[in-house]
């Protein structure tokens, strides 16, 4: 990525996301093996875990320390309302321990951690520091600490997403996918099966971090750091790009697992009308964007139900990664997504369509226009 602009920011962001991936792996292993206070429900009944708060605190702390000379702005999903309640003292202790265990490993990732462990008030401060609303002016880091928390709780796919928006434009995208298998066909299996499958394959490798800068035309993928190995740039990175398939009948499309805020019936109807033969790849989180960027799928369609508003942290990093890998991402009207209007993707026309190329994209846009009036969305 020849242009030095944003190089330091990208370097820090990749290392921090690697740290967050390791944190999440440890928490997910404990979630799968035990039942305790690590999962709570938000006001909208969606789950939030120790990992969500711990990643947000860790990333917030590391970004703030790495860019001390800036008045840093972070837009992120979680707040401290639940953790601040007296009834959540045990939960807060778990978050504080998880954060400090992660920060203690900072040197492994080439970063400088705190001299002393953080206390509860410092952890809460780091989480609450991520209260920016973004906007069209200035630089804003955008974080989804655990995208696909439901998948995370179930021991399945999830992502850590970090992006940098500069004057309304996404300029850096980093996507950590701790459970993303290196073989496309393994995506159809539950994560709990991967360990058994690994015994049958010498090429098995689980987890990656993808990253890019706007205008580079390059997306790189690094394996996660395992065991006692230290992060050493470029960390076995290899370049990835979108699929070359432009025959829509041969394409694979991704859609969300959750039905609460998207319409599977409409996407299924579209797929049938366009002659798609392959079964949809249903995965949690922004792993869908990773699948397209790496050529494992060609299409991602999400059409939100009435009243649901898409948030920028659910898309910023993934959108840029698909675009720089050679793909196309717009709303259903063919317009670019606007990340300059606060925490929501305001002005979104019906839904989001991401494709590996313009030929597929144009066909889907046309099919949406032809089918929309009968969709009841």
């Amino acid at each position: 990525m020849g242009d030095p602009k944003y190089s330091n920011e990208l370097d820090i962001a990749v290392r921090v996301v690697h740290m967050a991936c390791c944190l999440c792996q440890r928490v997910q292993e404990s979630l799968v093996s035990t039942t305790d206070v690590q999962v709570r429900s938000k006001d909208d009944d969606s789950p939030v875990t120790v990992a969500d708060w711990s990643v947000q605190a860790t990333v917030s702390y590391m970004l703030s320390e790495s860019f001390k000379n800036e008045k840093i702005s972070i837009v992120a999903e979680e707040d401290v309302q639940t953790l601040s309640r007296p009834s959540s003292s045990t939960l807060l202790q778990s978050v504080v321990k998880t954060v400090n265990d992660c920060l203690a490993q900072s040197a492994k990732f080439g970063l400088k951690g705190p001299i002393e462990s953080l206390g509860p008030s410092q952890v809460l401060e780091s989480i609450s520091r991520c209260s920016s609303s973004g906007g069209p002016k200035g630089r804003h880091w955008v974080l989804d600490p655990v995208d696909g928390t439901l998948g995370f709780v179930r021991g399945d796919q999830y992502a850590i997403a970090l992006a940098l928006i500069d004057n309304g434009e996404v300029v850096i995208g980093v996507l950590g996918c701790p459970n993303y298998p290196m073989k496309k066909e393994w995506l159809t299996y539950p994560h709990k099966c991967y360990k058994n499958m690994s015994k049958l394959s010498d090429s098995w490798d689980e987890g990656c971090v993808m990253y890019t800068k706007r205008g580079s035309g390059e997306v790189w993928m690094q394996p996660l750091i395992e065991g006692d190995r230290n992060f050493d740039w470029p960390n076995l990175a290899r370049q990835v790009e979108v699929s070359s398939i432009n025959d829509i009948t041969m394409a694979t499309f991704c859609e969300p697992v959750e039905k609460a805020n998207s319409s599977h019936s409409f996407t299924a109807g579209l797929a049938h009308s366009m002659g798609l033969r392959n079964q949809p790849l249903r995965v949690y989180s922004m792993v869908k964007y990773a699948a397209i960027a790496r050529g494992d799928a060609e299409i991602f369609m999400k059409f939100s139900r009435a009243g649901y508003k898409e948030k920028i942290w659910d898309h910023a990093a993934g959108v840029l990664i698909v675009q720089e890998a050679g793909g196309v991402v717009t709303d259903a009207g063919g317009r670019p997504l606007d990340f300059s209007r606060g925490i929501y993707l305001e002005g979104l026309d019906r839904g989001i369509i991401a494709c590996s190329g313009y030929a597929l994209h144009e066909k889907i846009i046309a099919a949406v226009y032809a089918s929309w009036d009968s969709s009841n969305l």
Side-chain angles (χ1 to χ4, degrees):
M1 298 184 183
D3 188 346
K5 191 174 184 180
Y6 304 117
S7 292
N8 183 48
E9 290 87 344
L10 181 62
D11 178 90
I12 297 295
V14 170
R15 294 171 189 271
V16 169
V17 169
H18 269 287
M19 284 183 67
C21 286
C22 289
L23 183 159
C24 286
Q25 286 179 314
R26 290 194 295 269
V27 175
Q28 190 181 53
E29 287 176 2
S30 68
L31 278 175
V32 172
S33 62
T34 187
T35 55
D36 55 22
V37 298
Q38 296 191 74
V39 184
R40 292 290 177 90
S41 293
K42 302 182 192 179
D43 292 339
D44 62 359
D45 290 331
S46 60
V48 60
T49 71
V50 165
D52 293 80
W53 287 303
S54 299
V55 168
Q56 187 160 313
T58 299
V59 173
S60 172
Y61 178 86
M62 295 307 302
L63 290 179
S64 298
E65 289 296 302
S66 299
F67 303 102
K68 282 184 175 180
N69 296 329
E70 301 180 21
K71 187 179 180 181
I72 195 166
S73 168
I74 307 176
V75 185
E77 184 170 13
E78 309 305 339
D79 58 38
V80 297
Q81 184 176 353
T82 298
L83 282 180
S84 300
R85 295 170 184 163
S87 60
S88 298
S89 60
T90 302
L91 180 63
L92 177 58
Q93 289 174 13
S94 182
V95 170
V96 171
K97 182 181 186 306
T98 303
V99 170
N100 283 314
D101 286 348
C102 184
L103 292 176
Q105 298 294 312
S106 297
K108 177 178 179 177
F109 300 92
L111 297 168
K112 185 177 180 181
I115 297 175
E116 298 180 351
S117 296
L118 303 186
S121 62
Q122 293 169 297
V123 170
L124 290 172
E125 180 185 357
S126 292
I127 296 171
S128 60
R129 189 183 296 132
C130 305
S131 58
S132 172
S133 297
K137 302 295 183 182
R139 288 160 50 122
H140 309 283
W141 290 95
V142 180
L143 170 69
D144 194 335
V146 179
D147 184 47
T149 302
L150 191 57
F152 178 82
V153 170
R154 292 175 175 174
D156 212 306
Q157 296 292 335
Y158 64 98
I160 297 99
L162 182 62
L164 177 61
I165 295 177
D166 194 349
N167 290 327
E169 187 173 63
V170 184
V171 295
I172 285 175
V174 184
L175 203 55
C177 307
N179 289 343
Y180 190 38
M182 303 307 288
K183 285 179 175 282
K184 173 184 176 180
E185 57 269 24
W186 290 5
L187 280 171
T188 60
Y189 291 88
H191 171 245
K192 63 184 179 182
C193 296
Y194 294 173
K195 295 299 183 184
N196 291 331
M197 293 170 66
S198 69
K199 298 174 183 177
L200 305 176
S201 173
D202 293 334
S203 63
W204 180 84
D205 194 10
E206 180 188 356
C208 65
V209 173
M210 292 186 183
Y211 57 93
T212 191
K213 286 195 304 183
R214 176 167 292 280
S216 68
E218 299 176 0
V219 174
W220 294 84
M221 179 173 68
Q222 298 177 348
L224 295 188
I225 305 300
E226 296 183 353
D228 296 329
R229 187 167 68 89
N230 291 334
F231 182 94
D232 185 19
W233 194 278
N235 186 37
L236 305 175
R238 66 179 177 89
Q239 192 171 348
V240 297
E241 59 185 16
V242 296
S243 164
S244 60
I245 292 175
N246 56 24
D247 180 350
I248 202 160
T249 64
M250 302 299 293
T252 298
F253 78 94
C254 301
E255 66 178 1
V257 175
E258 304 91 335
K259 297 181 180 180
N261 55 28
S262 63
S263 173
H264 285 179
S265 60
F266 183 64
T267 53
L270 275 182
H272 178 74
S273 69
M274 293 183 292
L276 270 75
R277 301 171 185 170
N278 295 330
Q279 289 294 313
L281 183 62
R282 286 182 177 165
V283 289
Y284 296 94
S285 80
M286 268 187 272
V287 169
K288 294 177 282 291
Y289 285 118
I292 294 176
R294 206 179 72 174
D296 293 342
E298 288 73 40
I299 302 165
F300 165 41
M301 300 182 284
K302 184 179 182 185
F303 300 95
S304 301
R305 298 188 182 277
Y308 182 80
K309 297 178 72 173
E310 297 288 346
K311 302 174 184 69
I312 60 173
W313 52 68
D314 288 323
H315 300 282
V319 167
L320 184 64
I321 283 172
V322 168
Q323 290 171 334
E324 295 300 324
V328 186
V329 187
T330 70
D331 68 15
R335 300 179 304 185
L337 306 188
D338 186 353
F339 291 94
S340 71
R341 299 172 65 180
I343 67 171
Y344 296 106
L345 287 174
E346 302 287 0
L348 194 67
D349 186 350
R350 291 168 287 188
I352 296 172
I353 297 172
C355 292
S356 57
Y358 284 99
L360 292 178
H361 184 263
E362 290 176 357
K363 292 175 183 177
I364 294 173
I365 293 290
V368 170
Y369 273 102
S371 307
W372 189 257
D373 288 343
S374 60
S375 68
N376 293 321
L377 289 176

